[in-house]
Amino acid sequence: MPYFPTQINTYIEPFVGGGSVFLNINAQKFVLNDIDKNMIKLHNYLCTCSSCPNIFFEQIINRILELGLSRSFMEDIVPSGLKSEYPKTYYAKYNKESYARLRDEYNKNKENVLDLYLLLIYGFNRILRFNSKGDFNLPVGNVDFNKNVVNALETYFKNVCSKTIHFFNFDYKEFVNLLTYKENDFNNIL
C-alpha cells in the first residue's frame, strides 16, 4: 500500500477476493471484479446489508441458534468434556453435524446467501470451495462465530457504506478490456 498513489479517483481491482485491499483504500469509486461468482454474490449481499447491519445480525444470530452452531461472541455452549477430549478441535467436533445439515440445505438450491456466508465462516480455513456440480463441498473447520468475525463484519459494513462500489464477475482479461481509464484511476493488476 505504500506504493499506491495518494489520490485515486477510481480504484480498479480485477481479483477482489475477500476484499482486504479495497477495504483499506481511499478512492472516489471502486470497480471490483472476481471470476468467482459466489465471492461476488457474498460481497453484493454484505454491501446490501451494510445499510441495516442490525437486521443482518438479527438474521444471522437467529440462523446460528436455529442450527445449533457455536457462538462464542454471545455465549460458550461447547461442553467442557468436549473441550477436554478434543482440546485443539472441539469447535469442529461440536459443529460437525449442524454444519453438514447447513451445507446440505444450501446445496439444494444454492440461493440462500446468508447460509453461504455461514458456510464460509464455519468452514475449513474459511474458504469457498465448490465441486464440479457447483455444490459447496468444504468440510467443517475448527472455527466459530466469534468476536473477531463480528468486528470484521462491523468494519466491512462501515467501510462499504461510505464507498461507491461496482462489482463484476468476469475473467480478469475480459474485465480489464471493458474499462476506460481516466487520470488518477488505479488498476491493481500487479
Side-chain angles (χ1 to χ4, degrees):
M1 289 190 30
Y3 301 105
F4 282 26
T6 55
Q7 190 74 284
I8 302 172
N9 286 339
T10 302
Y11 174 75
I12 301 161
E13 176 64 68
F15 312 102
V16 72
S20 61
V21 177
F22 96 85
L23 290 168
N24 292 289
I25 297 292
N26 289 321
Q28 293 178 16
K29 184 168 93 172
F30 295 81
V31 179
L32 309 169
N33 179 70
D34 202 286
I35 197 166
D36 187 333
K37 68 180 180 188
N38 292 295
M39 185 63 70
I40 297 301
K41 185 191 300 187
L42 283 168
H43 278 298
N44 278 318
Y45 174 71
L46 292 173
C47 283
T48 300
C49 292
S50 70
S51 62
C52 297
N54 292 339
I55 293 172
F56 169 83
F57 282 113
E58 181 181 323
Q59 290 173 342
I60 204 160
I61 289 167
N62 286 341
R63 187 67 171 132
I64 289 168
L65 293 171
E66 177 186 330
L67 291 162
L69 292 163
S70 64
R71 50 200 176 264
S72 65
F73 77 101
M74 289 176 56
E75 59 185 326
D76 184 5
I77 61 169
V78 178
S80 57
L82 200 60
K83 289 180 181 179
S84 297
E85 188 174 354
Y86 303 100
K88 294 185 178 183
T89 59
Y90 59 85
Y91 280 128
K93 298 291 183 188
Y94 183 83
N95 290 319
K96 185 176 182 178
E97 288 179 27
S98 295
Y99 178 85
R101 189 171 73 249
L102 170 65
R103 187 181 56 210
D104 290 345
E105 287 178 25
Y106 176 77
N107 284 332
K108 285 181 184 171
N109 67 19
K110 299 173 184 73
E111 294 299 320
N112 188 327
V113 187
L114 180 70
D115 281 358
L116 178 60
Y117 182 74
L118 283 173
L119 288 169
L120 172 68
I121 294 302
Y122 285 94
F124 181 76
N125 284 346
R126 293 193 168 144
I127 59 175
L128 293 176
R129 187 181 73 191
F130 299 85
N131 64 21
S132 60
K133 296 177 187 174
D135 289 343
F136 187 89
N137 68 349
L138 205 64
V140 68
N142 190 43
V143 290
D144 176 50
F145 200 92
N146 57 37
K147 190 63 179 166
N148 291 337
V149 175
V150 172
N151 290 341
L153 278 164
E154 288 172 344
T155 300
Y156 186 98
F157 291 153
K158 181 181 172 189
N159 282 335
V160 299
C161 268
S162 63
K163 297 180 179 192
T164 302
I165 303 171
H166 304 282
F167 287 105
F168 295 90
N169 176 224
F170 295 110
D171 176 87
Y172 82 95
K173 291 177 188 173
E174 186 180 355
F175 170 72
V176 170
N177 288 329
L178 290 173
L179 302 172
T180 304
Y181 299 95
K182 298 177 186 161
E183 188 175 344
N184 293 328
D185 287 352
F186 181 69
N187 188 340
N188 187 19
I189 196 157
L190 300 176

